[in-house]
């Protein structure tokens, strides 16, 4: 049985190694996804903090004056005081100084897709191959989970922790593969398992089915007339959930009511998971989907992204996830070296 595990683990790892290498390397880089884009394009993201942000409607008016005829459909706020806000202005994404209302830069959809951070993300989830690539990465997540679990099983009888630094490089490589692998194994199980849930809707739906009552669909926009106000919509959402911070305000459109993304302090996902739906004409709160009141299935489903990326506990867990992902890279390299060493040894024996 053990020999079967060894052979299965070895050959699946060898066949998948080049793809796992690409996925692990891009995953490690994506721990800094937002920071990469901000670091490469400070002229778009950085602003000098002022005393107070302008009202949202005032900022929107500045942007509309800059782009006559463009409809501002949504505004994304930044919690950091030295970071620009973004707005959708027709086909453009506008970067705005929230203290002055000045447009400091724009991006087209094509330019956004061409950024290094976005290309790393697309490579990670689909290898630039669209739907087919996404399916392949889903299978690869299952393969990675299998390799981690079988590696734990193979490690258990000998429980190798020690690295013999005075031994040959082959022995050191062998020890590194076992010691590093078991140290990072639990985090790697979480990363791979959550990756499967992210890729496969069936798994996510199975988790959400744990809710005793299905989550209500977003409410429709009531009929009526009125001039939508970003500030009034934001104020209504803040009044409904005073402990949460606003991450974005969207006016909706057509049959869709306005929506406000909100984030509680314990939620480390970038935009938060809480949503408040508001009548954009009367500023009346229509529904509140709060993470604090979510049922067990929805709570677990909300965790899938933060479990996969490592931001579930903030910077500390992101650092741990980064180390674990880099360990997966070392496992691929040391594993291939082990296979090559064994192959040469068998040749010499023959």
């Amino acid at each position: 049985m053990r020999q079967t595990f060894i052979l299965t683990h070895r050959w699946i790892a060898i066949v998948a190694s080049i793809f796992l290498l690409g996925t692990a390397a891009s995953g490690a880089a994506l721990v800094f996804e937002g920071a990469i884009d901000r670091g490469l394009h400070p002229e778009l993201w950085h602003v000098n903090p002022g005393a107070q942000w302008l009202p949202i409607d005032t900022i929107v008016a500045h942007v509309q004056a800059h782009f006559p005829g463009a409809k501002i459909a949504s505004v994304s706020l930044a919690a950091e005081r030295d970071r620009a806000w973004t707005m959708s202005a027709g086909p453009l994404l506008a970067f705005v100084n929230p203290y002055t209302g000045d447009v400091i830069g724009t991006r087209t959809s094509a330019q956004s897709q061409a950024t290094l951070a976005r290309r790393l993300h697309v490579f990670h989830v689909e290898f630039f191959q669209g739907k087919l690539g996404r399916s392949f990465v889903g299978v690869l997540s299952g393969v990675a989970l299998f390799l981690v679990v079988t590696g734990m099983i193979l490690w258990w009888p000998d429980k190798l922790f020690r690295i013999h630094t005075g031994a040959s490089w082959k022995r050191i490589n062998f020890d590194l593969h076992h010691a590093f692998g078991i140290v990072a194994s639990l985090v790697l199980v979480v990363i791979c398992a959550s990756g499967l849930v992210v890729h496969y809707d069936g798994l996510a739906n199975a988790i959400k089915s744990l809710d005793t009552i299905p989550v209500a669909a977003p409410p429709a926009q009531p009929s009526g007339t009125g001039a939508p106000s970003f500030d009034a919509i934001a104020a209504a959402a803040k009044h409904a959930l005073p402990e949460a911070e606003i991450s974005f305000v969207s006016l909706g459109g057509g049959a869709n009511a306005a929506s406000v993304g909100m984030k509680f302090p314990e939620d480390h996902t970038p935009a938060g998971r809480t949503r408040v739906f508001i009548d954009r004409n009367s500023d009346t709160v229509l529904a509140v989907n709060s993470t604090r009141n979510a049922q067990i299935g929805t709570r677990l489903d909300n965790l899938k992204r933060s479990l996969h990326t490592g931001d579930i506990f903030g910077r500390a867990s992101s650092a741990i996830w980064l180390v674990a992902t880099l360990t997966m890279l070392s496992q691929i390299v040391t594993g291939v070296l082990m296979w090559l060493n064994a192959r040469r040894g068998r040749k010499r024996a023959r």
Side-chain angles (χ1 to χ4, degrees):
M1 184 67 174
R2 177 175 171 81
Q3 190 61 28
T4 301
F5 265 130
I6 291 174
L7 290 174
T8 306
H9 179 90
R10 176 188 299 161
W11 285 107
I12 289 180
I14 291 299
V15 172
S17 60
I18 187 65
F19 302 107
L20 289 172
L21 194 68
T23 303
S26 57
L30 287 174
V31 172
F32 308 101
E33 183 174 3
I36 288 172
D37 194 52
R38 292 191 296 272
L40 292 175
H41 303 282
E43 72 283 359
L44 295 177
W45 288 105
H46 179 75
V47 298
N48 294 319
Q52 184 63 44
W53 290 327
L54 293 174
I56 303 177
D57 288 331
T58 302
I59 299 173
V60 169
H62 276 272
V63 176
Q64 286 183 322
H66 193 88
F67 301 103
K71 179 182 177 181
I72 309 301
S74 64
V75 178
S76 293
L77 288 65
E80 295 76 7
R81 296 189 60 81
D82 63 347
R83 190 174 301 173
W85 292 9
T86 58
M87 298 185 183
S88 59
L92 296 175
L93 180 68
F95 295 80
V96 185
N97 185 326
Y99 303 99
T100 64
D102 295 333
V103 176
I104 58 178
T106 61
R107 271 181 181 164
T108 64
S109 177
Q111 288 172 333
S112 295
Q113 292 295 321
T115 61
L116 175 61
R118 182 59 188 169
R119 290 181 70 80
L120 280 170
H121 186 96
V122 174
F123 176 80
H124 183 71
V125 300
E126 61 184 43
F127 285 140
F128 301 130
Q129 297 301 313
K131 187 176 180 180
L132 179 62
R134 186 175 291 268
S135 298
F136 179 74
V137 171
V139 173
L140 199 61
S141 298
V143 169
L145 180 61
F146 172 82
L147 291 174
V148 174
V149 172
T150 53
M152 294 167 70
I153 294 171
L154 292 171
W155 173 87
W156 184 257
D158 298 323
K159 300 180 181 62
L160 297 175
F161 269 118
R162 183 182 175 188
I163 299 174
H164 298 79
T165 55
S168 67
W169 76 268
K170 295 179 181 179
R171 176 66 196 199
I172 293 174
N173 182 76
F174 180 87
D175 290 344
L176 287 173
H177 187 80
H178 288 79
F180 282 11
I182 198 62
V183 168
S185 59
L186 292 180
V187 175
L188 291 176
V189 165
V190 172
I191 292 173
C192 297
S194 57
L196 285 172
V197 178
V198 170
H199 272 281
Y200 294 108
D201 291 338
L203 293 175
N205 292 335
I207 291 173
K208 287 186 283 189
S209 69
L210 296 174
D211 289 347
T212 55
I213 302 173
V215 177
Q221 169 63 36
S223 59
T225 58
S229 165
F230 281 95
D231 284 312
I233 292 170
K238 189 67 176 176
H239 184 266
L241 296 174
E243 295 181 36
E245 294 299 324
I246 295 173
S247 54
F248 70 82
V249 180
S250 173
L251 293 182
N256 298 318
S259 62
V260 180
M262 305 193 74
K263 181 177 179 179
F264 285 106
E266 67 271 15
D267 188 352
H268 294 288
T269 52
R273 295 289 187 178
T274 295
R275 300 291 181 267
V276 180
F277 299 94
I278 298 173
D279 183 338
R280 61 176 176 268
N281 297 323
S282 67
D283 309 320
T284 302
V285 175
L286 302 174
V288 176
N289 290 344
S290 170
T291 54
R292 289 185 172 178
N293 299 328
Q295 300 175 78
I296 183 62
T298 300
R299 284 178 180 267
L300 291 173
D301 185 64
N302 285 342
L303 289 175
K304 64 186 178 186
R305 183 194 180 279
S306 53
L307 282 173
H308 189 65
T309 60
D311 45 51
I312 184 169
F313 298 121
R315 292 183 178 179
S317 56
S318 293
I320 294 171
W321 261 241
L322 172 62
V323 171
T325 308
L326 293 175
T327 300
M328 178 176 277
L329 286 171
S330 75
Q331 292 298 98
I332 296 168
V333 174
T334 56
V336 170
L337 288 174
M338 286 168 58
W339 174 73
L340 289 173
N341 290 334
R343 190 164 177 263
R344 290 167 184 163
R346 287 191 296 270
K347 283 185 175 181
R348 284 195 297 267
R350 286 197 296 269

